Amino acid sequence: MKHLIIFLFIIFSVLLICHNLDSEYNLAMLKGPYLGQKPPGIIPEIFAPGILCTGHSEIKAVFTPDGKELFYQLWGAPFPVIVTMKEKNGRWTQPKIAFFSGQVIEGYNISPDGKQMFVVSKRPFDGKGKPLEKSRVWISEKSDMEWGKLKVLKASIRGYPTIAANGNLYLATGDMWVSEYVNGEYTEMKKLGNAINTKEFWEEDPFV
């Protein structure tokens, strides 16, 4: 019963966002990459006010490299939900719950070639039951424009993932770690050296 209430709450929240968007904007009028917004400049600005930034707590926006698919996190009780929008036939769709949204999502990102989604989560291995005690890194492969089922990797460090052009996966949990992409497989995480990590400071949120 508790899980049903949580699920209904999430659905209600996303539907409320869709209603608010329709009330203020016609999503069918949004055209082009990055929700049809002007290209970013050197001065920070609120992105897509009233569309993506609605007064709710929206964070961790990630676009696919072609700018035609968006994932972002909507923060709220009892846990955040991941929302996605997509450009189809030149028009942007309404927000909906992302395929990987679920319990205790800590971070997610997309590879530079747009073919892989990396998710750091305590989600159960079978997708049911209680969250895991430790976070795991999961990967989804994109084929025929659709994301595949999440598969767990050997890497088990929490944090926000970023992926280099050579496929190497970087994560941080006070120190920076890397899982190298070798012969189509990811190796166990290993800590980067003293050029990056320090004893005095907290290293977090890598970006390549």
Side-chain angles (χ1 to χ4, degrees):
M1 183 64 182
K2 180 180 179 181
H3 293 294
L4 176 60
I5 293 174
I6 291 174
F7 177 76
L8 292 176
F9 176 84
I10 294 172
I11 293 294
F12 174 76
S13 299
V14 175
L15 289 176
L16 181 61
I17 293 174
C18 292
H19 173 75
N20 290 339
L21 282 171
D22 281 342
S23 298
E24 299 182 27
Y25 294 89
N26 184 354
L27 282 177
M29 297 302 293
L30 293 180
K31 302 178 182 179
Y34 303 106
L35 299 179
Q37 305 301 294
K38 69 176 183 179
I42 61 174
I43 299 175
E45 299 180 55
I46 294 177
F47 179 73
I51 302 172
L52 180 61
C53 298
T54 63
H56 300 281
S57 184
E58 298 99 351
I59 60 174
K60 297 182 179 179
V62 174
F63 279 95
T64 52
D66 60 9
K68 294 185 177 183
E69 192 170 6
L70 166 66
F71 297 90
Y72 63 95
Q73 193 172 82
L74 175 63
W75 192 268
F79 52 81
V81 61
I82 314 299
V83 180
T84 183
M85 299 172 66
K86 184 183 296 187
E87 185 188 16
K88 289 185 176 181
N89 300 320
R91 312 286 184 178
W92 282 86
T93 62
Q94 288 187 339
K96 68 176 184 179
I97 297 175
F99 73 98
F100 64 92
S101 185
Q103 298 177 346
V104 200
I105 301 294
E106 297 180 0
Y108 50 92
N109 214 334
I110 298 171
S111 60
D113 61 10
K115 296 180 180 179
Q116 297 172 316
M117 167 78 76
F118 292 82
V119 179
V120 179
S121 173
K122 293 182 179 179
R123 60 186 293 131
F125 290 118
D126 61 359
K128 302 177 182 179
K130 295 181 179 180
L132 302 174
E133 292 185 3
K134 295 183 179 181
S135 297
R136 295 292 187 270
V137 180
W138 305 73
I139 185 172
S140 171
E141 303 279 352
K142 196 171 190 178
S143 177
D144 297 327
M145 303 306 293
E146 296 294 333
W147 293 103
K149 184 179 180 180
L150 286 175
K151 299 179 180 179
V152 68
L153 298 184
K154 294 179 182 178
S156 60
I157 301 296
R158 62 178 295 274
Y160 188 84
T162 190
I163 306 93
N166 64 0
N168 288 353
L169 170 66
Y170 292 85
L171 293 162
T173 176
D175 287 315
M176 297 292 184
W177 297 70
V178 62
S179 174
E180 296 180 338
Y181 189 62
V182 181
N183 297 325
E185 299 287 341
Y186 280 92
T187 63
E188 292 287 351
M189 300 296 298
K190 65 179 181 180
K191 189 182 294 187
L192 297 180
N194 295 333
I196 299 294
N197 292 317
T198 65
K199 295 181 179 179
E200 298 84 4
F201 300 102
W202 183 275
E203 286 80 34
E204 191 64 89
D205 293 340
F207 180 80
V208 178

